[in-house]
Amino acid sequence: GENVEQHPSTLSVQEGDSAVIKCTYSDSASNYFPWYKQELGKRPQLIIDIRSNVGEKKDQRIAVTLNKTAKHFSLHITETQPEDSAVYFCAASRGGSTLGRLYFGRGTQLTVWP
Amino acid sequence: KAGVTQTPRYLIKTRGQQVTLSCSPISGHRSVSWYQQTPGQGLQFLFEYFSETQRNKGNFPGRFSGRQFSNSRSEMNVSTLELGDSALYLCASSLDGRATEAFFGQGTRLTVV
């Protein structure tokens, strides 16, 4: 099955700096890659996603890049703010026999210091 | 429109008991997936239902089961509870599970004592 690895597990940055979280996947059939943000005690919230026919997608201060050849994708947060502090999860999804299933990375605890 | 609703929010059960959790997806969504979240194991996939049929199942013992009703609401059941079943149980709804956005409920925090 699919295996998603996420690095780093913890990341601390100063307010205003950029943060980058990287994920790799193993199954070349994976075609959808969402990112979730989970604040303490809350539900994971979808913040951005990318499909395999696109190399990059931006939404204000966040962006995701995908390299299908290398099987990795990354989340970029610019001009970080204290409210960006949370656990971020990457995930991969493929069709076929695993429809409806997301394979998650282990998460990155991002702390933004004011 | 209303988001994904899970009930109850919190549960405390004793070892050996059984429990049923409920998930109401976003209106129009037909795919409901269940995940177990623990600090040590992260988000682990339990199963996914679409149009009242279980389409996928993760690597959990048979004590974990689920079903989906004609209105797409889903329930999961855990029988013969063990201490290790203590976790946050999350459901996610999506239109059809085919590489479409999945939205999570707030989860049910199950504590087994």
Side-chain angles (χ1 to χ4, degrees):
Chain A
E2 174 65 280
N3 181 45
V4 177
E5 297 201 353
Q6 183 172 347
H7 299 280
S9 57
T10 61
L11 180 60
S12 291
V13 299
Q14 202 73 34
E15 183 178 0
D17 287 350
S18 295
V20 180
I21 302 170
K22 299 182 179 181
C23 290
T24 61
Y25 61 99
S26 61
D27 190 341
S28 56
S30 288
N31 56 11
Y32 175 65
F33 306 91
W35 286 87
Y36 288 85
K37 173 184 180 182
Q38 188 175 28
E39 297 175 76
L40 191 63
K42 297 192 175 179
R43 75 185 79 191
Q45 288 203 302
L46 178 67
I47 56 172
I48 196 167
D49 57 12
I50 192 167
R51 289 177 172 76
S52 58
N53 59 347
V54 176
E56 183 176 3
K57 184 176 178 181
K58 284 184 180 179
D59 183 4
Q60 299 183 346
R61 295 186 298 107
I62 60 174
V64 58
T65 58
L66 171 64
N67 182 326
K68 285 191 298 182
T69 304
K71 294 207 277 289
H72 68 69
F73 56 114
S74 300
L75 178 72
H76 304 253
I77 306 174
T78 59
E79 300 172 24
T80 54
Q81 302 166 2
E83 49 266 39
D84 295 329
S85 297
V87 179
Y88 291 80
F89 293 95
C90 63
S93 172
R94 58 189 288 274
S97 61
T98 62
L99 274 176
R101 176 173 183 170
L102 288 170
Y103 294 85
F104 283 92
R106 298 296 292 267
T108 297
Q109 173 70 63
L110 172 65
T111 303
V112 180
W113 300 99
Chain B
K1 54 185 174 183
V4 183
T5 303
Q6 288 187 247
T7 56
R9 291 291 311 277
Y10 302 93
L11 268 177
I12 300 176
K13 290 287 187 179
T14 305
R15 268 184 305 174
Q17 286 186 312
Q18 74 165 19
V19 66
T20 299
L21 314 181
S22 178
C23 174
S24 293
I26 293 170
S27 177
H29 284 194
R30 294 166 63 192
S31 168
V32 175
S33 300
W34 289 88
Y35 293 84
Q36 181 195 66
Q37 186 175 31
T38 58
Q41 298 297 318
L43 283 151
Q44 302 279 301
F45 174 76
L46 283 152
F47 28 65
E48 186 253 2
Y49 286 86
F50 178 80
S51 290
E52 302 179 64
T53 300
Q54 186 182 87
R55 219 166 33 173
N56 279 297
K57 190 176 190 307
N59 298 323
F60 278 81
R63 299 185 298 107
F64 291 82
S65 63
R67 59 178 175 168
Q68 187 179 37
F69 302 94
S70 58
N71 61 357
S72 293
R73 189 177 72 84
S74 177
E75 288 181 347
M76 68 164 279
N77 185 77
V78 188
S79 62
T80 319
L81 285 165
E82 300 177 359
L83 295 179
D85 297 333
S86 295
L88 180 66
Y89 290 88
L90 293 159
C91 76
S93 91
S94 69
L95 271 173
D96 59 11
R98 293 177 185 272
T100 55
E101 294 91 338
F103 300 95
F104 282 90
Q106 66 271 59
T108 293
R109 171 75 62 187
L110 172 65
T111 302
V112 183
V113 297

